[in-house]
Amino acid sequence: MKEVHPSVREIAVLQEATEMILASTDVDTVLHQILLIVRNYFGVAHSAVFLVDRGAGELYCRAQIGYDDSISAHRLRVGVDGIVGAAAQARAPLCVPDVSREPRYIAGSPDVRSALALPLIVREQVVGVLAAESSETDYFSTDLSALLSLFASQAAVALENARLFASERRRVRQVELINLIARSAASAGEIEQFLGTLADLIGDSFEGSDVVILLREAEGALRPRASAGAETLDQSKFAESERSGIIAQAFAARQNVVMNDVRAQSAWPACLPGAGSELCAPLVSFGETLGVVVVSHPHSGFFSKDDRAIAQAAADVCATAIKNVQLAEELRRVAHTDFVTGVYNQRYFHSAVSQELARSRRYGKPFALALLDLRAFRDVNTSLGFEGGDAILRQVAQLLRSQVRSMDILCRYAGDRFSLVLPETDRDRMSVVLRKIEENLARIRIPGKDGEEPLVATCAFVNYPHDAGNALELTRMLFARVEEAKHRKPSA
């Protein structure tokens, strides 16, 4: 290192540190600048910043230059592990001229011969330790140690300012999150859409995090229903976490739980790969546990007390919103379902026609509507009673389900009539579908004058855009064609 007069070097360092304090509001940027100054101004090839995890009473490596990646996994107990832990407890610099003679020293690199640990103190509180190490024995002279100590005090202020700024910015964004959740719940059309929106909102609030929302299914299993950021979702990992990880702890506590040192826990069942910190908030509404939200971040020590508070508030709002959307969805399902056959009803048929018409117009695709009128069904009710007639209707519904695609919509229109909405279906294909349906209906046997007879239906269909261009004209034409067919084929 080229010799520079101490006073000149001191002025340069302080000026650089002051500019860093004034200009930098991002924690990662500040940490990077601290390490660059240590390397460039002080000629130190190995340096790292350890931050305090107050809950665990430990220090973890947040940034480093000159070491391999393994140092990022180091967790040092304050007052117990290494000269870094000793400096944090003593609240004073600790210089080791020859690391081979210091039993407390924990090697970060085999090249190191001397080391200096400088506590980062703000308002009488240790927030971390700056570790500087040299490949030369007795490298840190009294003057150099004093200058580095002075720089460390400026670096501590810069780091704390950046952390406070990040915390405040995150708090504002997370308060906005609660309002967005409430507004999204009010406009949500169905649960999957709403859960996807929730995951995205939470992911945006906790920057750089992966988010997974898991809900209890009817049989009791916890399943991921939406995610943001996470590329791989392994159901076995969530099951393991529910047994002995953060999900289990959150359910037991019935409030959010944080694990800020995942990598230090060798047997910890992390929900997502690469997790350094995990936060899990249970979704509880009126005493019912609906599921959990898991937030995973690659850095250790990521989640603060403010994060936990806002996560709990957000989880409470999420749980209530999810329950409301589920109830609204269930009400819509009941309102749109025929209670005898379990298929959609007449109300849903007209809604589905309007939706399919809009979609077909947008994409230039055809679609078809079909109506089946079961012939002589009054005689069935007379012969078998209404319970027997309902059983036949359920058979018909089951048969029709097996004959149409998953994208097709089956409805019991009224009484003995069933209607179908078939997207992307032209006239030729519709004719084939109805022929198959008529053939299979004949397999259902009903009592007749001369014993059992095959069930017969009068069928008709219309096609968009060939037959009509709007929903009202299509349905009117459909019913007219059924009536015409009934007159051509009078009931036996």
Side-chain angles (χ1 to χ4, degrees):
M1 182 179 67
K2 184 179 178 180
E3 290 297 325
V4 179
H5 192 279
S7 62
V8 175
R9 184 166 60 185
E10 181 175 346
I11 292 172
V13 169
L14 291 178
Q15 182 179 357
E16 187 80 20
T18 302
E19 289 177 359
M20 179 174 60
I21 292 169
L22 295 175
S24 301
T25 56
D26 177 71
V27 172
D28 288 328
T29 301
V30 170
L31 288 168
H32 183 64
Q33 289 176 333
I34 289 172
L35 297 177
L36 286 180
I37 290 172
V38 171
R39 184 185 68 183
N40 296 338
Y41 281 89
F42 299 101
V44 177
H46 301 84
S47 61
V49 175
F50 291 82
L51 297 183
V52 174
D53 180 349
R54 302 197 185 286
E58 296 175 338
L59 296 117
Y60 62 94
C61 182
R62 182 66 171 77
Q64 58 89 10
I65 286 180
Y67 303 97
D68 60 37
D69 293 338
S70 64
I71 195 173
S72 298
H74 285 190
R75 302 284 297 193
L76 305 174
R77 291 169 293 175
V78 174
V80 177
D81 296 328
I83 64 170
V84 169
Q89 184 182 50
R91 304 166 61 85
L94 178 57
C95 183
V96 179
D98 185 350
V99 296
S100 65
R101 298 176 178 275
E102 173 54 68
R104 293 175 296 179
Y105 176 73
I106 298 174
S109 170
D111 300 332
V112 172
R113 297 293 178 268
S114 59
L116 177 65
L118 301 156
L120 301 173
I121 301 175
V122 179
R123 293 186 294 276
E124 303 301 321
Q125 189 173 50
V126 177
V127 297
V129 174
L130 171 61
E133 297 184 332
S134 174
S135 57
E136 299 178 21
T137 303
D138 201 17
Y139 179 79
F140 299 97
S141 64
T142 302
D143 289 342
L144 186 58
S145 297
L147 191 55
L148 273 165
S149 296
L150 183 60
F151 168 70
S153 66
Q154 300 290 335
V157 173
L159 179 59
E160 187 65 8
N161 285 347
R163 291 175 68 180
L164 289 173
F165 180 84
S167 177
E168 186 62 29
R169 182 177 57 184
R170 187 158 45 184
R171 186 182 301 129
V172 170
R173 293 188 65 180
Q174 291 169 341
V175 170
E176 292 173 351
L177 165 67
I178 294 176
N179 293 327
L180 288 171
I181 290 170
R183 290 201 296 269
S184 298
S187 61
E190 47 90 28
I191 190 67
E192 298 302 330
Q193 173 193 2
F194 177 58
L195 293 175
T197 301
L198 276 184
D200 289 337
L201 290 174
I202 296 170
D204 289 343
S205 180
F206 293 96
E207 294 181 71
S209 298
D210 297 332
V211 178
V212 182
I213 298 175
L214 302 99
L215 296 185
R216 287 271 185 223
E217 295 189 342
E219 71 276 13
L222 196 64
R223 302 289 182 189
R225 297 286 296 276
S227 64
E231 296 182 359
T232 303
L233 300 181
D234 186 342
Q235 179 62 38
S236 65
K237 296 296 184 183
F238 298 119
E240 190 177 356
S241 181
E242 188 179 1
R243 289 192 296 270
S244 59
I246 198 164
I247 295 178
Q249 292 185 5
F251 280 150
R254 294 183 69 81
Q255 63 181 0
N256 73 77
V257 175
V258 166
M259 173 58 70
N260 260 333
D261 56 350
V262 172
R263 294 188 183 92
Q265 310 296 320
S266 58
W268 183 256
C271 292
L272 295 172
S277 304
E278 284 187 326
L279 182 151
C280 182
L283 299 169
V284 182
S285 176
F286 297 101
E288 179 186 1
T289 303
L290 307 178
V292 294
V293 176
V294 174
V295 186
S296 175
H297 195 277
H299 289 161
S300 298
F302 178 77
F303 298 107
S304 65
K305 289 183 180 179
D306 289 339
D307 290 335
R308 290 194 62 180
I310 203 69
Q312 188 63 56
D316 292 341
V317 175
C318 283
T320 301
I322 288 171
K323 190 63 176 179
N324 289 342
V325 174
Q326 286 178 332
L327 289 173
E329 197 172 65
E330 179 64 15
L331 287 173
R332 285 195 298 271
R333 188 192 67 79
V334 171
H336 291 154
T337 301
D338 174 58
F339 70 93
V340 173
T341 62
V343 300
Y344 290 116
N345 58 17
Q346 179 184 140
R347 176 185 298 176
Y348 190 78
F349 171 77
H350 291 289
S351 173
V353 171
S354 297
Q355 292 176 16
E356 187 55 35
L357 181 63
R359 195 186 72 85
S360 295
R361 283 174 176 168
R362 179 177 180 183
Y363 296 106
K365 301 284 187 178
F367 75 92
L369 305 178
L371 188 67
L372 292 79
D373 189 317
L374 304 181
R375 292 168 58 182
F377 202 75
R378 289 183 181 179
D379 296 340
V380 175
N381 283 329
T382 301
S383 176
L384 300 179
F386 286 106
E387 288 187 6
D390 288 348
I392 296 295
L393 290 173
R394 284 190 285 271
Q395 276 187 267
V396 172
Q398 185 176 0
L399 183 145
L400 291 174
R401 276 199 191 106
S402 69
Q403 296 298 306
V404 298
R405 303 164 299 181
S406 59
M407 65 189 292
D408 299 330
I409 297 169
L410 169 64
C411 306
R412 182 189 177 196
Y413 192 83
D416 54 4
R417 287 182 166 184
F418 288 85
S419 56
L420 290 164
V421 181
L422 296 95
E424 300 183 21
T425 303
D426 57 22
R427 293 170 60 82
D428 292 339
R429 185 180 184 283
M430 192 67 246
S431 297
V432 173
V433 171
L434 283 187
R435 278 199 301 272
K436 288 184 177 180
I437 287 175
E438 288 175 330
E439 291 171 1
N440 283 283
L441 280 175
R443 298 178 183 176
I444 299 176
R445 314 299 290 184
I446 59 174
K449 296 177 181 179
D450 301 318
E452 288 190 342
E453 299 177 352
L455 181 65
V456 179
T458 301
C459 305
F461 74 89
V462 293
N463 180 259
Y464 170 88
H466 184 273
D467 293 315
N470 62 60
L472 181 59
E473 290 177 359
L474 283 168
T475 52
R476 280 180 176 175
M477 185 176 292
L478 179 64
F479 283 94
R481 287 183 176 177
V482 168
E483 292 302 317
E484 290 173 6
K486 288 171 68 175
H487 285 91
R488 286 198 303 270
K489 297 180 181 180
S491 301

